[in-house]
Amino acid sequence: MSRASWDAALRRALAAVVLLLSGCPAGSRRQAAAWESLGREDLAVFREALLEDEVARHPELAQATRYRLALKVADSLTEVTGRLRVRYTNRGHKPLAAIPFFLFPNLTTGALEVQSVQAGGVDLPTQLERQGSLLEVTLPAPLAPGQDTEVSLQYRLRVPSSEEGESEGFALGGGVLSLAYAYPIIPAEPSTAAERPMPVPYGDFQFAEASFYLVALDYPGNLVLAAPGAELDRRRAGARVQVLVALGPARDFYLALGRDLVSQTARRGAVEVRSYAPKGAEEGSRLALGTAVSALKDFEHRFGPYPYRRLTLVSVPFSSLGLEFPGLVMVARRLYDLGRSYDGIPARVLLEATTAHEIAHQWFYAMVGSDQLLEPWIDESAAQYATWLYYRDRYGESAAQGFLDSLEQRWARVGRAEIPLGRPVRAYSPREYSAIIYGRGPLFLRALSERMGEEHFDSFLRELCARYEWQLVTGSEVLAAAEASCSCELDDLWAQWVGTPESQAARN
Ligand SMILES: [Zn+2]
């Protein structure tokens, strides 16, 4: 679609939304109407969240999965009712008899209970597997390659409450409702979903393809929303607020709602950066915001443009340091206590490094996808390496040395053992995972840069981002791309650091 016709389509779609919103008396009905009216071909509303017309740049996105999600958060904040209508196109080469849905909350002390699954008004047979974390929905007839279908699910979330530092991202704690992976998610490569390794708490949980999200939220009006994407509509309905958000292409959709969240805003070019933190943590929030602006500038220069009009940062009680989502970065709340130290490292240092690392994931994970369970080194090593670049570009070589030393120290925690990078998360112990994936991984990329020459290596990263934007890349494709960039053989270095990719065995 040309730029002009795309803009016209956007205007038509928004006009339709505005018309529907103004035509009905009750706020909830108005929003429901807008949500219902968006047809399967209509991707124009997502243009609001984007700087460039990604669908025109990548026509294959026209077949991407559409999630239409309606979430109603109870006043208690521990219960959420959800309605999902998902339009799915079989982009594989074989007919698909069932669609799997990943139900992350069932791996926590909370729950996602599916109440009904339908297609065309008819109930579909379902089966829960893998500790309730996988729902297999049998289709009325196998979905042929290239064919699409729409499935509707009704569900209820029970949100676990957590104290500071104990949350996996799906929890209510410290006055913040954090909804990570809190809807039924169709994993990438759906036909293999039942055979894939189970996620473990110290790794990422998700392996998903770029999709489109239209999310209607209904929540208590005393809460502040921190979400990615574009707000298409917002209105008050008595004591509640109703918001319509669009995001896509994106591999996931995260949101947080907090009682005392305060936001600070800055701009980097055309991107609005918003940092949310609780009252009293303004200084930390400002530090995260400044880091984000610098990191965006650096990574755009090095890897290519950031795709969204907005980047959201939010401080949430969380057991790890941070977590990446498309258009949004979650950072552990304890890092905003700038006077404290953790394992001898000042919170201020951890907050800056974590923010830069999670922002690097906007390129390595959000845009260039990879299998975060089978080949976690791809996005994590790249995000760590990018963090080193951030320090180098912002503060100079000697300041960056401190971060490099921290990578060496991480690896030293397993005695610098040459454990291959190319293993699935589950194959590592938690200690090994931290040391190898976050320590040895970025050191490998540094060794690769030395072998290829920094100029070739830098253009390899840029080309990788351009070539695999909104797609999935495997370790062997990363190797092929690197060899193409330097016109050299890298097998020996790969064997020494990455090893034989076990993921290939798992794929075959
Ligand atoms: Zn990471």
Side-chain angles (χ1 to χ4, degrees):
M1 202 184 284
S2 73
R3 178 64 191 262
S5 60
W6 184 240
D7 285 350
L10 171 63
R11 275 198 300 278
R12 275 200 307 278
L14 285 176
V17 170
V18 170
L19 201 68
L20 278 156
L21 292 174
S22 56
C24 310
S28 59
R29 270 168 49 204
R30 282 191 292 248
Q31 271 202 0
W35 186 82
E36 298 283 352
S37 73
L38 284 156
R40 54 189 259 206
E41 301 310 328
D42 205 348
L43 290 174
V45 286
F46 299 99
R47 188 72 177 81
E48 278 288 280
L50 295 164
L51 289 167
E52 294 285 326
D53 186 343
E54 297 298 334
V55 180
R57 295 178 65 230
H58 303 272
E60 71 277 6
L61 285 171
Q63 289 200 316
T65 303
R66 277 89 151 147
Y67 290 92
R68 274 187 286 168
L69 195 55
L71 295 174
K72 188 169 186 182
V73 178
D75 290 338
S76 67
L77 307 189
T78 53
E79 274 209 20
V80 179
T81 50
R83 207 149 57 90
L84 172 64
R85 283 171 63 172
V86 59
R87 178 154 287 278
Y88 181 80
T89 301
N90 180 3
R91 282 168 288 168
H93 301 295
K94 291 180 188 161
L96 203 59
I99 296 182
F101 289 88
F102 177 51
L103 309 180
F104 170 76
N106 292 340
L107 295 176
T108 71
T109 52
L112 190 164
E113 183 196 331
V114 175
Q115 291 157 322
S116 79
V117 184
Q118 293 189 329
V122 177
D123 288 327
L124 300 181
T126 62
Q127 200 175 336
L128 262 185
E129 293 162 23
R130 295 158 65 93
Q131 301 164 31
S133 70
L134 190 72
L135 180 78
E136 290 273 7
V137 174
T138 305
L139 297 170
L143 196 62
Q147 200 185 354
D148 68 354
T149 187
E150 187 169 283
V151 176
S152 302
L153 296 94
Q154 304 252 22
Y155 64 96
R156 207 175 58 175
L157 287 172
R158 205 182 65 241
V159 185
S161 62
S162 80
E163 294 311 313
E164 172 76 28
E166 286 177 3
S167 150
E168 307 285 0
F170 171 64
L172 172 64
V176 179
L177 173 62
S178 170
L179 295 180
Y181 324 120
Y183 60 97
I185 301 168
I186 300 178
E189 299 175 11
S191 57
T192 64
E195 291 97 53
R196 289 176 52 78
M198 285 291 287
V200 284
Y202 50 89
D204 279 310
F205 300 107
Q206 254 271 56
F207 174 42
E209 298 202 69
S211 305
F212 291 91
Y213 293 83
L214 187 66
V215 183
L217 293 164
D218 182 327
Y219 57 88
N222 60 339
L223 300 177
V224 173
L225 169 69
E231 254 187 35
L232 302 183
D233 185 57
R234 169 181 284 266
R235 59 191 66 235
R236 270 212 169 252
R240 300 184 63 86
V241 172
Q242 290 156 349
V243 174
L244 189 65
V245 179
L247 178 72
R251 292 176 205 281
D252 201 352
F253 185 89
Y254 169 90
L255 68 99
L257 288 162
R259 288 204 184 91
D260 67 343
L261 288 177
V262 184
S263 72
Q264 300 181 40
T265 304
R267 292 198 81 83
R268 151 66 199 152
V271 182
E272 183 198 71
V273 186
R274 239 183 238 192
S275 175
Y276 292 84
K279 285 194 186 86
E282 285 84 357
E283 199 190 338
S285 188
R286 206 157 32 242
L287 174 62
L289 187 66
T291 304
V293 169
S294 284
L296 263 184
K297 185 177 167 198
D298 189 30
F299 299 156
E300 287 209 295
H301 171 68
R302 285 185 165 277
F303 312 136
Y306 173 77
Y308 306 119
R309 287 179 196 273
R310 182 189 282 184
L311 173 64
T312 302
L313 316 174
V314 60
S315 160
V316 171
F318 185 52
S319 38
S320 304
L321 295 171
L323 197 54
E324 69 277 16
F325 295 95
L328 183 141
V329 157
M330 185 228 275
V331 181
R333 175 170 280 193
R334 65 183 187 283
L335 307 188
Y336 290 67
D337 291 337
L338 298 184
R340 293 183 65 179
S341 289
Y342 301 92
D343 293 328
I345 307 170
R348 179 180 290 278
V349 172
L350 286 173
L351 179 56
E352 183 167 3
T354 301
T355 304
H357 171 103
E358 304 304 345
I359 288 172
H361 276 305
Q362 296 301 319
W363 283 263
F364 304 102
Y365 150 71
M367 277 185 275
V368 180
S370 52
D371 193 326
Q372 293 179 286
L373 285 92
L374 285 182
E375 293 187 300
W377 76 273
I378 298 175
D379 70 312
E380 292 305 345
S381 304
Q384 286 288 74
Y385 183 82
T387 306
W388 172 64
L389 293 175
Y390 159 85
Y391 278 110
R392 215 168 64 142
D393 294 342
R394 187 170 184 189
Y395 301 110
E397 205 72 54
S398 65
Q401 188 59 44
F403 186 73
L404 210 54
D405 292 344
S406 78
L407 301 177
E408 293 281 0
Q409 284 154 18
R410 260 184 194 265
W411 189 17
R413 283 184 216 154
V414 293
R416 295 173 60 90
E418 297 197 343
I419 302 169
L421 290 168
R423 294 182 175 171
V425 180
R426 273 194 92 81
Y428 302 100
S429 69
R431 170 183 283 266
E432 286 171 345
Y433 187 69
S434 162
I436 298 302
I437 299 299
Y438 293 87
R440 189 173 188 241
L443 293 171
F444 162 59
L445 294 183
R446 201 148 175 271
L448 192 59
S449 170
E450 271 164 26
R451 164 76 82 86
M452 292 169 69
E454 195 167 348
E455 209 172 297
H456 283 305
F457 183 76
D458 288 354
S459 62
F460 147 65
L461 285 183
R462 203 172 304 119
E463 282 158 19
L464 192 76
C465 289
R467 162 120 194 248
Y468 289 96
E469 192 177 27
W470 307 124
Q471 297 178 42
L472 297 166
V473 71
T474 63
S476 9
E477 287 165 337
V478 174
L479 168 61
E483 289 188 330
S485 281
C486 66
S487 309
C488 61
E489 300 261 324
L490 299 166
D491 304 46
D492 59 324
L493 202 66
W494 225 263
Q496 185 194 336
W497 291 82
V498 184
T500 313
E502 290 181 23
S503 56
Q504 285 203 327
R507 271 173 216 282
N508 296 336

